[in-house]
């Protein structure tokens, strides 16, 4: 291999080589002046490739995000939006004046009636804000003074795939960068030994909607910004371990020679993606020692394991992923995306929703508590919520003990904590039947603009020109929800 590389190099045009060498030295010198840490290998220095040259736009209140995405859309009427009048009107048909001709999904569009159905679970008030929280979320209720509940979220999509894609990428179609990719592009990484954007997936016992790699895609951004999925198997990151018989020195020598070949290829083709590939190989090499250490729970004290619950000892569970999210954030990962599947309760909602809530309540609250006691919550934005809400009427037959709820994009609830978000408040209101927003609506693009703002990024300036158009996460809309910012 070394002989072939030498012959290839000697055969190249000498004049062209010297010309490019002079340009390269000038670029290196300029880079070292503009970015002093460009060639530093110390932990915490920014990644040298694929980052905007001027960041942040203003002083950030958060450094990182942990997004606990509840895939399938949990019902706001069984969690954070208390509507006692629904119980009083149980079984009555949804008034057309409330529905307002809203388009329904194919599940309920042909139903002869849309019978209203109240929550099967009771609510209590908690905290200084006297927020109403379902009895299925007692641990979340205990941290109510640390979270901001937004009850007035709304979206444009009525089906899972476009709604989920819209939340993650700002568009309902694919091939757009995910929010985590935008943050990687806008802010770079805090730790060169780990990716800026990681993905963890867990599955509940309820009806599951799928998640897919386009949700953590880099889209048209450099591929270094793509989310890296961690699995619960023997190899948390596939193909990271060296093949049998290959030593660390062999791997290092191979990567050095491969980098040289790639550099020559770049000089021929001027394709910036080649530099990205070089960086990805180097990242994988560094992750070989870093990832096992991050995944090791043996050093976690018993009090922390008890805080997250028994499931945190089982790889691949929501609780285990929440604990891992804290560890990844602690190591400088910019954006940790969790997906917990199983929230699509078109039928059998009382049983399935109860199981789902049990899966996530303790660990979600534990994550906020853990971050707070470590002094990390102020700089870490935690988000909990799904892609849309659930109807206030029953899908299918309504019986005494059972019912389902269809998709509802007009209003739903999420909560946020840390990262400069006001704690202990409830923002937005829906009508007494929980069908329409009556105060302080928050669109998906508003939510995205606010998240970027908390990390010091102006959503109107975080742009990337592609195919002649300037793209951004919030498309051509979005406004920062200043009332929830401390």
């Amino acid at each position: 291999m070394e002989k072939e590389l030498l012959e290839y190099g000697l055969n190249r045009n000498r004049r062209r080589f010297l010309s490019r060498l002079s340009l390269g030295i000038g670029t290196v010198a300029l880079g070292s002046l503009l970015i002093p840490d460009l060639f530093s290998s110390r932990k915490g220095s920014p990644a040298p490739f694929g980052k905007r040259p001027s960041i942040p736009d203003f002083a950030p209140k958060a450094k990182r995000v942990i997004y606990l995405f509840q895939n399938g859309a949990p019902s706001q009427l069984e969690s954070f939006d208390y509507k006692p009048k629904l119980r009083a009107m149980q079984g009555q048909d949804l008034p057309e004046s409330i529905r307002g001709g809203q388009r329904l999904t194919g599940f309920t569009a042909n139903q002869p009636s849309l019978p209203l159905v109240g929550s099967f679970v009771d609510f209590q008030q908690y905290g200084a804000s006297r927020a109403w929280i379902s009895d299925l979320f007692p641990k979340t209720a205990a941290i109510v003074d640390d979270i901001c509940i937004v009850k007035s979220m709304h979206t444009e999509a009525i089906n899972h795939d476009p709604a989920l894609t819209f939340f993650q990428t700002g568009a309902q179609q694919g091939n757009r960068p995910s929010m985590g990719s935008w943050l990687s592009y806008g802010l770079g990484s805090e730790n060169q030994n780990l990716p800026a954007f990681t993905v963890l997936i867990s599955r509940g016992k309820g009806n599951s909607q799928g998640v897919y790699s386009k949700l953590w895609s880099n889209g048209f951004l450099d591929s270094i910004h793509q989310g890296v999925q961690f699995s619960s198997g023997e190899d948390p990151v596939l193909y990271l371990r060296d093949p049998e018989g290959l030593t660390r020195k062999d791997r290092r020598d191979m990567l050095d020679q491969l980098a040289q070949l790639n550099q020559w290829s770049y000089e021929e083709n001027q394709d910036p993606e080649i530099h990205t590939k070089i960086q990805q190989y180097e990242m994988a090499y560094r992750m070989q020692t870093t990832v096992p250490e991050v995944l090791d729970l043996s050093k976690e004290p018993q009090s922390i394991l008890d805080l997250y619950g028994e499931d945190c000892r089982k790889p691949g569970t929501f609780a285990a992923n929440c604990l891992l999210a804290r560890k990844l954030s602690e190591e400088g990962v910019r954006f940790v995306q969790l997906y917990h599947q199983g929230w699509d309760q078109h039928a059998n909602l009382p049983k399935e929703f109860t199981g789902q809530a049990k899966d996530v309540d303790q660990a979600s609250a534990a994550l906020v508590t853990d971050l707070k006691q470590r002094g990390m919550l102020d700089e870490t934005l935690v988000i909990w919520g799904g892609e849309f809400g659930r109807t206030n009427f029953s899908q299918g037959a309504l019986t005494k003990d059972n019912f389902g709820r269809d998709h509802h994009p007009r209003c739903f609830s999420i909560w946020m904590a840390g990262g400069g978000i006001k704690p202990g408040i409830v923002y937005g209101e829906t009508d007494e039947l929980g069908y329409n927003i009556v105060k302080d609506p928050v669109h998906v693009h508003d939510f995205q603009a606010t998240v970027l703002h908390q990390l010091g990024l102006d959503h109107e300036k975080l742009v990337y020109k592609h195919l002649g158009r300037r793209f951004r996460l919030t498309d051509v809309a979005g406004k920062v929800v200043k009332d929830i910012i401390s």
Side-chain angles (χ1 to χ4, degrees):
M1 174 66 77
E2 292 180 356
K3 182 178 179 182
E4 293 172 354
L5 287 173
L6 181 62
E7 291 176 352
Y8 182 79
L10 291 174
N11 288 333
R12 296 179 62 79
N13 183 283
R14 181 174 178 271
R15 182 177 299 171
R16 183 177 181 185
F17 171 77
L18 292 175
S19 173
R20 290 194 178 274
L21 179 62
S22 65
L23 290 173
I25 292 173
T27 302
V28 167
L30 179 60
S32 65
L33 291 173
L34 294 176
I35 310 175
D37 289 329
L38 181 61
F39 303 106
S40 170
S41 60
R42 65 179 176 83
K43 179 179 175 181
S45 58
F49 295 113
K51 192 176 65 171
R52 291 195 311 156
S54 56
I55 58 167
D57 297 314
F58 41 82
K61 294 190 175 182
K63 289 184 176 180
R64 62 196 75 88
V65 176
I66 300 176
Y67 197 159
L68 310 177
F69 201 94
Q70 309 305 309
N71 182 216
S75 167
Q76 72 280 11
L77 300 170
E78 271 74 34
S79 53
F80 306 110
D81 201 3
Y82 179 49
K83 296 301 172 186
K85 190 167 183 178
L86 282 178
R87 282 187 175 179
M89 296 182 65
Q90 182 92 351
Q92 296 182 37
D93 203 36
L94 173 67
E96 181 55 39
S97 60
I98 299 295
R99 177 185 168 188
Q102 183 205 6
R103 176 172 68 101
L104 304 178
T105 74
F107 292 112
T108 53
N110 296 319
Q111 281 188 198
S113 65
L114 302 174
L116 297 172
V117 54
S119 176
F120 72 92
V121 64
D122 291 329
F123 281 64
Q124 309 293 332
Q125 286 182 288
Y126 298 91
S129 65
R130 308 308 295 153
W132 290 96
I133 296 182
S134 157
D135 288 351
L136 295 177
F137 294 89
K139 299 294 185 180
T140 304
I143 62 161
V144 68
D145 286 334
D146 294 318
I147 68 176
C148 167
I149 300 173
V150 180
K151 298 198 296 183
S152 53
M153 285 298 307
H154 64 102
T155 184
E156 299 164 14
I158 200 170
N159 289 311
H160 292 287
D161 184 299
L164 181 54
T165 307
F166 192 38
F167 248 106
Q168 301 296 279
T169 71
Q172 295 187 43
Q173 67 272 27
N175 197 33
R176 296 286 184 89
S178 175
M179 187 187 300
S181 297
W182 278 112
L183 287 178
S184 174
Y185 165 66
L187 295 175
S189 175
E190 290 188 288
N191 185 344
Q192 290 191 1
N193 295 329
L194 288 168
F197 176 20
T198 61
V199 179
L200 305 166
I201 300 174
S202 56
R203 183 168 183 170
K205 303 174 183 64
N207 184 33
S208 292
Q209 286 294 324
V211 292
Y212 17 82
S213 60
K214 75 172 183 177
L215 298 173
W216 51 91
S217 168
N218 57 292
F220 41 71
L221 298 177
D222 293 342
S223 57
I224 193 65
H225 303 302
Q226 179 170 329
V228 175
Q229 182 183 350
F230 281 37
S231 72
S232 59
E234 184 178 351
D235 293 322
V237 180
L238 297 179
Y239 313 117
L240 194 62
R241 292 197 297 180
D242 291 329
E244 187 175 347
L246 187 72
T247 67
R248 293 288 288 170
K249 184 180 183 304
D250 292 337
R251 168 73 78 174
R252 182 68 267 166
D253 291 344
M254 182 271 288
L255 289 177
D256 290 342
Q257 294 181 13
L258 184 61
Q260 191 172 358
L261 281 172
N262 281 328
Q263 182 60 33
W264 285 343
S265 178
Y266 173 76
E267 292 173 6
E268 285 285 347
N269 302 299
Q270 296 296 302
D271 182 358
E273 189 67 15
I274 295 174
H275 272 170
T276 299
K277 293 299 182 186
I278 295 173
Q279 190 180 15
Q280 287 175 326
Y281 283 128
E282 291 298 323
M283 170 67 75
Y285 181 76
R286 295 192 297 270
M287 285 173 64
Q288 285 184 310
T289 55
T290 306
V291 169
E293 181 179 343
V294 173
L295 296 180
D296 183 13
L297 299 183
S298 64
K299 297 179 182 179
E300 292 293 326
Q302 186 62 43
S303 59
I304 293 297
L305 299 178
D306 292 341
L307 181 67
Y308 284 87
E310 186 61 31
D311 278 354
C312 78
R313 302 173 185 274
K314 305 172 185 176
T317 62
F318 181 79
N321 286 349
C322 281
L323 179 52
L324 180 54
R326 188 269 290 164
K327 289 170 68 68
L328 288 168
S329 294
E330 202 169 27
E331 291 297 319
V333 174
R334 183 74 65 184
F335 193 95
V336 185
Q337 176 75 68
L338 276 68
Y339 295 99
H340 186 64
Q341 301 170 274
W343 289 101
D344 194 21
Q345 278 82 48
H346 288 276
N348 200 26
L349 186 144
K351 180 179 179 181
E352 288 191 3
F353 193 96
T354 299
Q356 289 291 115
K358 186 176 181 180
D359 278 345
V360 305
D361 178 46
Q362 179 173 352
S364 300
L367 176 62
V368 173
T369 302
D370 194 7
L371 291 170
K372 185 177 180 179
Q373 64 191 17
R374 290 171 185 271
M376 293 176 60
L377 186 59
D378 288 345
E379 295 183 338
T380 308
L381 177 58
V382 181
I383 306 164
W384 190 103
E387 62 265 40
F388 42 60
R390 290 284 162 177
T391 56
N392 62 357
F393 57 83
S394 175
Q395 177 182 328
L398 171 60
T399 67
K400 180 181 178 181
D401 301 315
N402 201 8
F403 61 92
R405 296 192 190 276
D406 200 3
H407 308 164
H408 189 63
R410 282 196 180 184
C411 61
F412 56 104
S413 301
I414 68 169
W415 61 255
M416 307 169 75
I421 296 295
K422 285 182 181 178
I425 69 168
V426 177
Y427 186 79
E429 291 291 341
T430 58
D431 62 35
E432 59 185 359
L433 295 181
Y435 197 88
N436 294 302
I437 295 170
V438 295
K439 182 183 178 183
D440 298 327
V442 180
H443 185 265
V444 172
H445 285 321
D446 301 334
F447 160 78
Q448 293 163 338
T450 304
V451 171
L452 294 180
H453 179 274
Q454 295 309 93
L455 284 109
L457 297 171
D458 185 336
H459 72 105
E460 294 183 346
K461 295 180 180 178
L462 184 62
V463 297
Y464 190 90
K465 191 172 182 179
H466 175 64
L467 298 178
R469 181 192 163 186
R470 292 166 64 84
F471 286 89
R472 68 187 208 215
L473 175 63
T474 53
D475 196 38
V476 295
K479 63 181 185 299
V480 176
V481 187
K482 295 182 179 180
D483 289 342
I484 69 172
I485 297 173
S486 59

